[in-house]
Structure formats: C-alpha cells, structure tokens
Amino acid sequence: MPGPWSRLGCFGPVVSLALDNGLGRRPPMGYNTWNDLGCKDMSEENVKAVADIMVSSGLKDAGYEYLNLDDCWMAPNRDADGKLIGDLDRFPSGMKALGDYIHGRGLKFGIYTDRGDQTCQNLPASLGNEAIDAKTFADWGVDYVKEDNCHSSTGANDKDVLFEQFGVMRDALNATGRPIFFSVCGGGDQLPWNKLDYYATDERGGAKLANAWRISPDVMEWETLQLAIDVNAGLAKYAQAGGFNDADMLLGTSKNSAKHMTQRHSRAQFNLWAIMASPLLIGANLRELADYDLATYTNKEIIAVNQDSLAKQGIRVREYKASAGLSWSIWARHLQDGSVAMVFFNTFPNSATLTCDASCWDQLPLKKQQKLSVRDLWLHAAAEQADAVAGESYSVKLDAGVASVILKFSPTEVLV
Ligand code: GLA
C-alpha cells in the first residue's frame, strides 16, 4: 500500500492529509478506564459515576477534561449496517447517550479502537472500516480516539504497514470535519517489550501522524515506568504543540486501584510526567480515590508546568546510573515565562546530593549569572535553598529510595 504522505493516484498526485485537527496544543489531561474499570467493571453506571466524580472532586476544574473509554466498550459484533455498536449489556442506553451525559458534565468523550481487525481484547476493531468507524465516532460526539496496535496481520512491528494503517484512521478522522484528538497506542501485543521510539522518530510518525503516541509498553508498575522514562529521555525534541510523546497513564496509590504504587513513587511519576510534557491521564480508581492522589493530581503549579504553552518537553540534563533501577538524574524544562522547571530524582537506597553544575546549566536557556528565585512546587513556597545563580552549582539533598522534588527557577531581574 502507498505511504501516507503523497502518492500517485489515477488522476495525478493525491496528497494524503497530515494531521490537521488543531488539537493537542498542550498534553491532554483526563482519565482512562483501562487500569481502573478494565473489562470487568466497564459499564454505563461506572462511567457515569466517573464523570460525576471528575466534576465533584475538582479534577475537571483542574484541567482533566477527557473521559476516555478504553477497550471493552463495544459489542462482539457490528450491526447490520457494519457499524460498531456499544455492548448493550454494559451500555444499555447506547454510546451516543453516554457521550451526551459526559458532555452534559462539561467533559469530553474519548473512545478506543485498534488498527487491526480486533482490539487487544478480541473485540471488533477498525481495519478496513476506518471511514465508517470515524463517522460513527463523530456522530456520537466523540472528541478523542485512541487506536491500538493488536491483531495486525503482518505483526506489531511492521513499520510500513503500521504507519499506513494508522494514517488511514488519521485521515478518516480528519475527513469527518469534527476535531477529534488522535492518540496512537503502539503498545498492543508488541513483542518483545522493547522501546517504541520510532513512533516519534520515524518521518511518518510524531505530530504528522497523531496528537500523542505511546513510546513504551504499558506502565503497570515501577519497572515499566522507569523504562518509559528512559525511552522518553531520548525523544524530547519530537514533542511540540500539536503532538506529544505519551509515557502512558498515571498510577495512584490507592489499594483499591488495580495498579498502584507508593506515595513517593506516584509523586515522582507526576513530577516527571510534568517535566516530560506527557499526557496526564489518570488510571486510578476514581470511585475510591485516595485523598493523597487527589492532592497529587490537582497540584496546580505542577499541572502548569505540564501544560506550559511553550510545549517544550524537558530534557535529562544529568544522569548517574549504577544499574537498571539505580540512578539519579536531573531534568529541566524551559517554560514560556522564561523560567525553568527542574526535577531532581533519586532511586538509590541511600540519600544523595544532586548538583546542577556548570555543564548542567550549559544546557539550559538561561544567561550565565542570571539571578534566580527557586520555588518548591510541592511546598508551594520558596525552596530550602531559595536563590540560585545560573551557571553556579545548585544542590539538592534527596532522601534514600525513590525521592524527587520539582523546583521552578525564575529570573529575578532582567539581564541585558
Ligand atoms: C493495550 C494497550 C493498553 C490498553 C489495552 C486494552 O495493552 O497498550 O493501554 O488499551 O491494550 O486492551
């Protein structure tokens, strides 16, 4: 099949559409059902409860706008007209009504499909039906489509086919005329579980293809989370307003959530996802959300870093790695107001003093000798060491184990 950019048609060159929906100027924020409802608890009642909680908890006001249904929303068969329909046992009122409910709460409606003929849970998917599915989604008022990577007849890694097929869905969504955020999930049944960096680096990928693209396998615990960080560290330059590297969902701390971590791990994830401009998609059980997690997700100063209008993904400016899982690192992200956010991150089982030295500052867009005030975005106050000078060593002592801080360095005077 021809590539997604331009091809010779019967009547001359046919220029295939690049993504032009105008969306994704900032990383998307919302909730996704997969780590919470999975298939077992996927139902109209639970999705509506999630919508209500997103509003009543303050998550919507904090910016979490997408309520994304993942796998298992669809009936096992298409209808007589070949359209996807919602599973009537799970969603007796139908998908349009559910979308109306979600919109009625002031939220946006996300849905899931797959580029193969079945989803990862073996339900009907979009191969060969991209146009009709995109139209169906648009008719239901869908605002976000996540397209997965399972059941490809030529395998999950066949780049020519995957970029072609994801491109067909991108163009079908464009053709509906409804602005629909397009999220490509290269994970799927990808084996071996390696990095998916080519979704960002290939000339057919990145923001030409989608508003967000997964860069690693599913983040299910600390090990896979660290893999996502490592892969993403090499992909900063591919993120931009319109398309972002997707390091997968946020894991909270509640034991009532299918996937969860300790408090320190979850805040380290939030700090890093902010610096990396990764989508903030909550995977926790919102119906039984821990107060701690709500406080994490609604930290407005850290959300502001994630959503910064410069849309520049932060870079890893220093790293010391003893082995997989034992490292410390410093990350920095240039912000629109001329300041720089930094994360200091330690996974060693002993405390560590991390220093941003001259070589670290050299990678930051600040003039040498620029005086800076330093704010701790968890304390919502001046950092312990409240002043810094660009180019001169700035140190942070971190506790043993997984520990991290996120600081904002703001110029206190204009240097000429
Ligand atoms: C894959 C994706 C997950 C989720 C499941 C659903 O594993 O990577 O994010 O969508 O499929 O089956």
Side-chain angles (χ1 to χ4, degrees):
M1 292 176 87
W5 299 113
S6 65
R7 53 187 185 255
L8 274 185
C10 303
F11 306 103
V14 175
V15 177
S16 155
L17 302 172
L19 187 71
D20 68 350
N21 59 17
L23 299 174
R25 310 311 293 173
R26 316 264 185 281
M29 294 176 64
Y31 157 93
N32 173 293
T33 55
W34 183 243
N35 286 342
D36 177 17
L37 305 180
C39 290
K40 190 166 71 65
D41 297 322
M42 188 69 146
S43 70
E44 186 172 307
E45 190 187 348
N46 282 338
V47 171
K48 284 182 169 178
V50 166
D52 294 347
I53 292 163
M54 285 177 76
V55 177
S56 63
S57 63
L59 284 168
K60 173 179 166 272
D61 285 345
Y64 296 86
E65 57 178 351
Y66 289 106
L67 197 173
N68 293 347
L69 274 59
D70 207 277
D71 212 340
C72 293
W73 62 264
M74 60 290 276
N77 295 298
R78 290 173 178 269
D79 73 6
D81 298 325
K83 291 185 188 165
L84 287 172
I85 46 172
D87 184 317
L88 285 173
D89 292 332
R90 298 180 188 278
F91 298 101
S93 310
M95 306 314 288
K96 170 87 173 71
L98 185 68
D100 289 347
Y101 188 90
I102 291 169
H103 289 143
R105 293 288 172 276
L107 298 164
K108 292 188 171 145
F109 178 28
I111 219 160
Y112 166 99
T113 187
D114 188 285
R115 75 175 173 92
D117 60 354
Q118 289 176 39
T119 71
C120 299
Q121 302 303 315
N122 308 323
L123 288 159
S126 292
L127 182 64
N129 289 294
E130 289 86 354
I132 190 172
D133 290 355
K135 176 154 188 341
T136 303
F137 297 154
D139 289 346
W140 290 344
V142 164
D143 304 296
Y144 185 118
V145 167
K146 168 178 172 181
E147 187 168 49
D148 214 334
N149 193 39
C150 284
H151 291 287
S152 167
S153 57
T154 61
N157 300 299
D158 184 333
K159 291 183 198 160
D160 288 342
V161 173
L162 73 87
F163 283 121
E164 173 71 27
Q165 291 181 346
F166 282 129
V168 172
M169 179 55 92
R170 170 203 57 200
D171 295 349
L173 292 172
N174 274 343
T176 66
R178 181 176 175 84
I180 299 177
F181 189 104
F182 185 40
S183 160
V184 162
C185 177
D189 50 10
Q190 163 103 15
L191 282 173
W193 288 113
N194 59 12
K195 55 183 191 168
L196 306 175
D197 56 352
Y198 56 84
Y199 279 95
T201 59
D202 193 285
E203 61 170 10
R204 296 162 292 185
K208 293 174 193 158
L209 178 66
N211 299 114
W213 50 88
R214 283 273 298 280
I215 47 89
S216 63
D218 293 6
V219 166
M220 294 185 283
E221 26 45 35
W222 189 241
E223 281 68 36
T224 39
L225 192 150
Q226 282 183 293
L227 173 64
I229 296 167
D230 270 344
V231 176
N232 213 354
L235 301 177
K237 69 176 181 187
Y238 300 99
Q240 56 185 275
F244 293 92
N245 295 302
D246 179 356
D248 206 12
M249 288 171 258
L250 297 169
L251 305 182
T253 65
S254 167
K255 302 236 166 19
N256 299 319
S257 295
K259 314 262 187 302
H260 54 268
M261 303 188 292
T262 71
Q263 295 186 343
R264 281 172 170 215
H265 288 78
S266 76
R267 291 221 165 151
Q269 183 187 25
F270 202 66
N271 292 346
L272 287 161
W273 264 230
I275 282 284
M276 297 191 307
S278 186
L280 297 181
L281 294 174
I282 297 170
N285 178 347
L286 284 192
R287 292 153 303 139
E288 298 175 57
L289 189 66
D291 291 345
Y292 186 88
D293 293 343
L294 184 61
T296 303
Y297 300 145
T298 54
N299 183 320
K300 292 200 170 123
E301 292 192 71
I302 299 178
I303 291 172
V305 172
N306 176 271
Q307 295 287 298
D308 186 74
S309 59
L310 209 54
K312 262 189 170 306
Q313 178 172 327
I315 54 174
R316 189 161 60 188
V317 286
R318 293 291 313 274
E319 186 192 27
Y320 172 69
K321 193 172 198 170
S323 62
L326 279 187
S327 68
W328 62 253
S329 52
I330 303 174
W331 300 68
R333 179 170 174 183
H334 185 194
L335 303 175
Q336 200 276 334
D337 65 2
S339 63
V340 169
M342 279 199 222
V343 167
F344 294 73
F345 176 46
N346 177 36
T347 68
F348 281 97
N350 43 302
S351 64
T353 298
L354 276 49
T355 301
C356 185
D357 58 12
S359 69
C360 162
W361 288 108
D362 280 348
Q363 299 170 68
L364 306 181
L366 293 169
K367 287 204 173 119
K368 292 258 162 56
Q369 297 306 311
Q370 172 76 66
K371 291 201 176 85
L372 303 155
S373 65
V374 190
R375 186 169 170 83
D376 184 315
L377 304 187
W378 282 111
L379 293 178
H380 303 296
E384 202 174 315
Q385 193 185 323
D387 303 302
V389 177
E392 294 180 8
S393 288
Y394 183 93
S395 298
V396 173
K397 185 165 185 221
L398 289 174
D399 289 343
V402 169
S404 68
V405 297
I406 182 165
L407 306 175
K408 185 172 171 182
F409 294 74
S410 303
T412 53
E413 58 179 15
V414 179
L415 278 193
V416 278

